[in-house]
């Protein structure tokens, strides 16, 4: 009996934003382990190169490309490089996001609002458009949007961030419906509390952490690697009939 090939990504080109650390790094490493050539991306090239080097040292294929997804010009430049170097893209993981202000919604300032919308909504939207055009030319692909449980149940003092994550869940359905004719699937991952730099203010504060754990049936925070398996499923042929869904990976929080 032979093992399943459903999760193989041999010959695939995958772009992972926010891959220099945290959840994105874990995703980039797992996709590379499964055979994909991974484009490791974030704002700062050094962190990306570090992750790409680790993938290559492990026998995988990776390239580092810097891209601030809140800057339209940088999105266009990144995709110009992808076209030139690879001529195709099979998998896009929109993972990089921002949450600059932790406050009561009434205290939201305009610059934090604008930054959060520019990165978390406009960034995901136009990255998906650029990727979708390339995928359409090559017969299809898979887009995975890393949203959040906050997109369903807003996090305390995370107002505009939660609003943008709800938009990502809707955006996922829009691309799923309109890009299905081109063989492009689009799905969302909704992580629960995960131990990364992004969540350090919550995870490193005992009082906040204990309050959060009360609401998590599995009674622990996730490791970044625990998000990667779900992304592999959504990126690979194992999910060939799945599009437009939100997959909660949250220790039971939303159940
Ligand atoms: N951790 C959690 O508890 C949790 C829960 C739910 C959802 N999420 C979601 O999971 C995703 C990843 O978060 P994480 O916890 O892994 O965060 P993280 O450890 O802080 O990593 C964030 C990554 O994004 C990059 N980045 C930040 N702003 C960027 C921008 N404007 N353009 C391009 N890259 C950017 C960072 O690198 P540079 O500094 O080099 O740009 C880094 O690689 C986010 O979408 C977040 O909303 C996280």
């Amino acid at each position: 009996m032979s093992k399943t090939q459903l999760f193989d990504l041999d010959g695939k080109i995958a772009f992972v934003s926010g891959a220099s650390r945290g959840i994105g790094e874990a995703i980039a490493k797992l996709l590379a382990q499964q055979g994909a050539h991974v484009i490791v991306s974030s704002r700062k090239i050094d962190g990306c190169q570090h992750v790409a080097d680790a993938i290559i040292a492990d026998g995988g294929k990776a390239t580092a490309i810097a891209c601030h997804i809140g800057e339209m010009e940088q999105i266009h430049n990144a995709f110009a490089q992808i076209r030139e170097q690879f001529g195709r893209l099979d998998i896009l993981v929109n993972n990089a996001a921002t949450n600059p202000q932790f406050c009561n919604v009434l205290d939201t300032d305009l610059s934090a609002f604008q930054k959060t919308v520019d990165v978390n909504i406009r960034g995901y939207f136009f990255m998906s458009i650029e990727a979708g055009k390339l995928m359409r030319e090559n017969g299809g692909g898979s887009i995975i949007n890393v949203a959040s449980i906050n997109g369903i149940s807003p996090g305390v003092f995370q107002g505009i961030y939660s609003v943008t994550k709800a938009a990502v869940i809707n955006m996922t359905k829009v691309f799923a419906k309109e890009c299905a004719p081109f063989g492009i699937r689009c799905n969302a991952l909704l992580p629960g509390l995960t131990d990364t730099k992004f969540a350090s203010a919550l995870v490193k504060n005992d009082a906040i952490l204990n309050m959060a754990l009360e609401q998590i049936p599995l009674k622990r925070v996730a490791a970044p690697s625990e998000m990667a398996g779900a992304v592999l499923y959504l990126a690979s042929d194992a999910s060939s009939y799945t599009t437009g869904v939100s997959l909660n990976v949250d220790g039971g929080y939303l159940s």
Side-chain angles (χ1 to χ4, degrees):
M1 196 167 63
S2 60
K3 285 189 184 164
T4 178
Q5 306 294 304
L6 281 174
F7 296 92
D8 277 5
L9 299 179
D10 282 339
K12 304 282 188 196
I13 310 292
F15 185 108
V16 184
S17 71
S20 64
R21 60 173 186 262
I23 293 171
E25 177 181 2
I27 293 168
K29 287 182 169 170
L30 185 63
L31 299 188
Q33 256 177 43
Q34 291 302 111
H37 186 130
V38 179
I39 300 160
V40 178
S41 187
S42 81
R43 288 168 301 183
K44 300 177 201 110
I45 193 71
D46 288 355
C48 298
Q49 194 58 59
H50 187 74
V51 172
D53 289 346
I55 289 173
I56 292 163
D58 206 29
K61 296 183 273 305
T63 302
I65 293 183
C67 177
H68 185 325
I69 65 155
E71 304 283 343
M72 289 301 298
E73 204 186 325
Q74 292 200 28
I75 292 178
H76 290 135
N77 288 342
F79 275 88
Q81 278 185 65
I82 294 168
R83 274 183 183 279
E84 196 184 306
Q85 276 185 46
F86 302 98
R88 60 182 291 131
L89 187 70
D90 303 288
I91 299 158
L92 168 68
V93 184
N94 274 318
N95 166 74
T98 191
N99 188 8
Q101 202 183 13
F102 192 71
C103 67
N104 187 284
V105 68
L106 299 185
D107 297 320
T108 307
D109 68 52
L110 182 58
S111 68
F113 176 95
Q114 198 61 57
K115 182 178 177 190
T116 313
V117 169
D118 286 355
V119 172
N120 298 5
I121 300 182
R122 193 182 67 190
Y124 276 45
F125 193 81
F126 282 95
M127 289 287 291
S128 300
I129 285 178
E130 290 295 325
K133 286 178 180 170
L134 254 179
M135 290 172 178
R136 181 174 59 185
E137 288 168 24
N138 288 293
S142 174
I143 297 173
I144 297 115
N145 291 323
V146 179
S148 170
I149 51 171
N150 287 4
I152 302 288
S153 176
V156 179
F157 289 171
Q158 297 173 70
I160 184 55
Y161 170 77
S162 300
V163 170
T164 63
K165 291 298 187 175
V168 168
I169 292 168
N170 191 275
M171 187 190 306
T172 300
K173 296 177 188 172
V174 169
F175 279 82
K177 283 186 173 166
E178 297 202 13
C179 297
F182 313 124
I184 300 168
R185 297 182 296 107
C186 183
N187 294 289
L189 172 76
L190 275 56
L193 191 56
T194 308
D195 192 5
T196 66
K197 186 178 175 201
F198 196 81
S200 57
L202 308 177
V203 173
K204 306 279 182 254
N205 178 317
D206 279 348
I208 297 180
L209 177 62
N210 288 333
M211 254 175 8
L213 291 180
E214 296 255 305
Q215 297 174 56
I216 302 172
L218 285 183
K219 293 293 170 218
R220 63 181 179 82
V221 170
S225 59
E226 292 182 281
M227 299 299 143
V231 173
L232 172 59
Y233 165 68
L234 295 172
S236 67
D237 286 346
S239 63
S240 54
Y241 198 59
T242 302
T243 196
V245 308
S246 292
L247 184 48
N248 308 338
V249 183
D250 63 353
Y253 174 85
L254 288 176
S255 57

